[in-house]
Amino acid sequence: MKLIERKQYLDKMINTMETPDIKVLTGVRRSGKSKLLEAFKSYIKNNNPDANVIHINFNLSEYDSLKEYNALNGYVESRYADGKENFVLIDEIQMCKNFELCVNNLHATEKYGIYITGSNAFLLSSDLATLFTGRVFEIKVYPFSFEEYIRYFGLTDRYTAFDGYMFEGGMSGSYPYKEREDKYDYIAGVFDTLVLRDIKQKYGIKNPVLLERISQFLMDNVSNLTSARTIADTLASHKDKINHKTVGNYLNYLCNAFAFYRIRRYDIKGKKYLASDNKYYLSDHSFRYAKLGTKNMDTGRMLENIVAMELLRCGYEVYAGVLYKKEIDFVAIKRSEKIYIQVSDNITHPDTFRRETEPLLSIRDAYPKIVIARTRCPEYQYEGIRIIDAADWLLDK
């Protein structure tokens, strides 16, 4: 399989080499965490040939004997090289029983730079501080961005390339397949056998059909305001026996596994977060096409999904804005920076253009306001609002 440099993530791994933190790569299955570990190993070897790198990949049968924390700890300690920089890279660490005991012990010795990946259902962002007694630095890994997609295929026409990205998404393991149906078979397999399987195993799901139904509901309702009660009522109308508490638990499981990202609502005028309905976005929009088909493309919602994930990829806190009962697709916040964003597939019709710009014009502060659409033309301004083509924004922001 072809590889490209994922500098955004590799730089984070490199820049934290001198820190004592336990570095943990998180993200949806098949988003490239294992390849990043390999790239980091190559970087160490190329820049510090004398370093000692202990690399364990639990996907390989040669490490089967280490799937118990004492055995893993003994293996690493036996390979420690005195007088050298020692790095421990462990892939799919959840396959080792009580792995946290080993990692905590290795960290306590202060002898190793530790980098680990694992199945997301077993290595949750919310659990990292509890699992590990040392400080943890989380590196969030996402499926391929549009920019990475272009580099992978060596494309030059960004607008035509974006049409392809809308269909194919960022699950790079699907890229070597020539036929689109084969690509979607691969992507559906990732979701079913890796994401959902991990959730079932971690939480002992008693009703896997219900988990599947909820995930499909979220896929079909990307960017819609949604609550556990709404989902429960909808599924109950189809004669599913369900209550909103069970749905709420399953929603948390799907988000914990990075299958979906939950976006809370933000009252712009009151400057407060709202506890009511949330929005949910897929970690990669191709999951929807692979699981539900492409008959109903709903390109506007998928474009919104792409923008949401790009904002998260860039490190923003992302919220759905509310102002005087008007909805703003995204309020993106990073320290003192704030951006208001509306997303639309097509704004050529005057009514659509007005619908997208009016909520932004109602905001009285001076933070940037943007409409992202598929305009295929250079950026322009309308009453202080930047109107930007989606492909241009993704590549030039």
Side-chain angles (χ1 to χ4, degrees):
M1 178 180 170
K2 179 180 177 181
L3 298 177
I4 63 169
E5 183 181 49
R6 306 192 75 187
K7 192 173 187 301
Q8 171 184 353
Y9 308 112
L10 189 58
D11 281 353
K12 288 185 178 182
M13 300 173 75
I14 294 168
N15 292 337
T16 54
M17 287 174 67
E18 302 301 321
T19 70
D21 307 336
I22 301 167
K23 292 81 172 178
V24 183
L25 279 66
T26 64
V28 71
R29 284 279 206 162
R30 293 294 188 264
S31 57
K33 301 186 294 293
S34 298
K35 295 301 182 185
L36 279 168
L37 269 192
E38 292 176 10
F40 181 61
K41 179 180 178 180
S42 296
Y43 172 86
I44 296 171
K45 290 296 186 182
N46 290 333
N47 290 273
N48 185 2
D50 196 45
N52 180 40
V53 180
I54 305 166
H55 185 195
I56 298 158
N57 183 350
F58 278 116
N59 285 314
L60 302 178
S61 60
E62 64 184 278
Y63 299 109
D64 283 350
S65 62
L66 305 182
K67 291 181 179 178
E68 189 276 329
Y69 80 95
N70 276 315
L72 176 61
N73 190 82
Y75 177 88
V76 172
E77 289 279 48
S78 70
R79 281 157 178 75
Y80 174 77
D82 196 23
K84 296 185 177 183
E85 277 196 273
N86 287 263
F87 295 89
V88 178
L89 316 182
I90 307 178
D91 204 9
E92 298 295 345
I93 196 168
Q94 83 285 345
M95 296 174 73
C96 173
K97 186 177 180 181
N98 296 322
F99 62 85
E100 67 276 12
L101 299 177
C102 172
V103 173
N104 286 331
N105 180 69
L106 294 175
H107 181 262
T109 67
E110 301 183 357
K111 298 189 301 186
Y112 306 95
I114 303 173
Y115 293 76
I116 62 176
T117 80
S119 163
N120 308 296
F122 295 86
L123 204 61
L124 308 179
S125 298
S126 57
D127 289 348
L128 294 180
T130 305
L131 278 172
F132 304 121
T133 54
R135 187 178 184 280
V136 174
F137 184 81
E138 183 180 6
I139 300 171
K140 299 175 182 178
V141 182
Y142 298 89
F144 271 27
S145 66
F146 177 51
E147 184 273 334
E148 290 174 316
Y149 175 85
I150 278 186
R151 279 198 289 122
Y152 181 95
F153 288 106
L155 305 174
T156 55
D157 182 339
R158 59 177 60 186
Y159 301 131
T160 302
F162 188 71
D163 293 340
Y165 184 70
M166 281 285 288
F167 274 100
E168 296 189 21
M171 300 302 293
S172 59
S174 70
Y175 293 169
Y177 294 94
K178 302 300 182 185
E179 299 297 325
R180 184 161 289 168
E181 284 307 309
D182 294 334
K183 292 176 185 287
Y184 287 158
D185 284 345
Y186 168 86
I187 294 167
V190 169
F191 196 88
D192 290 340
T193 63
L194 297 180
V195 178
L196 295 184
R197 184 192 65 188
D198 279 354
I199 294 172
K200 295 170 190 174
Q201 183 179 349
K202 165 73 173 180
Y203 300 104
I205 298 296
K206 297 178 181 178
N207 191 344
V209 174
L210 178 59
L211 179 67
E212 173 80 10
R213 293 285 303 279
I214 292 171
S215 70
Q216 291 188 2
F217 179 94
L218 292 180
M219 289 179 186
D220 201 32
N221 288 274
V222 161
S223 85
N224 283 343
L225 290 173
T226 304
S227 69
R229 192 173 296 277
T230 299
I231 298 174
D233 291 345
T234 301
L235 296 183
S237 69
H238 294 92
K239 296 184 171 50
D240 282 312
K241 293 183 179 179
I242 185 174
N243 64 69
H244 71 277
K245 290 184 179 179
T246 301
V247 173
N249 288 335
Y250 283 16
L251 289 175
N252 288 333
Y253 301 159
L254 287 164
C255 291
N256 286 342
F258 298 102
F260 294 89
Y261 286 79
R262 180 188 289 111
I263 302 298
R264 296 167 59 197
R265 301 175 81 202
Y266 178 78
D267 181 345
I268 294 171
K269 185 175 185 296
K271 297 182 180 179
K272 61 183 179 181
Y273 306 112
L274 303 176
S276 56
D277 301 357
N278 301 303
K279 292 186 176 184
Y280 292 84
Y281 294 92
L282 275 161
S283 55
D284 191 77
H285 58 283
S286 65
F287 284 131
R288 171 175 165 145
Y289 297 149
K291 292 292 294 176
L292 303 185
T294 57
K295 185 177 180 180
N296 177 17
M297 287 294 295
D298 210 346
T299 51
R301 294 187 188 280
M302 292 301 94
L303 178 57
E304 191 173 323
N305 199 113
I306 290 170
V307 172
M309 294 311 302
E310 188 67 16
L311 289 168
L312 291 171
R313 194 179 279 114
C314 291
Y316 287 96
E317 298 174 41
V318 183
Y319 303 95
V322 182
L323 181 65
Y324 305 118
K325 297 185 179 180
K326 295 180 180 178
E327 298 284 337
I328 288 86
D329 290 333
F330 300 118
V331 181
I333 300 172
K334 188 191 297 184
R335 299 182 183 90
S336 61
E337 181 184 0
K338 184 185 294 183
I339 309 170
Y340 302 107
I341 298 174
Q342 291 283 75
V343 182
S344 179
D345 182 48
N346 188 333
I347 55 173
T348 56
H349 194 283
D351 288 345
T352 305
F353 186 86
R354 183 169 55 253
R355 185 182 69 240
E356 299 298 339
T357 55
E358 278 187 352
L360 296 176
L361 293 172
S362 300
I363 304 172
R364 298 305 179 190
D365 64 39
Y367 290 109
K369 302 166 183 66
I370 303 174
V371 173
I372 299 172
R374 298 175 77 187
T375 65
R376 288 181 174 251
C377 68
E379 176 183 337
Y380 64 96
Q381 292 218 359
Y382 171 77
E383 296 191 21
I385 299 171
R386 298 170 61 198
I387 314 297
I388 310 176
D389 178 82
D392 291 338
W393 179 79
L394 288 165
L395 295 179
D396 303 334
K397 62 186 178 306

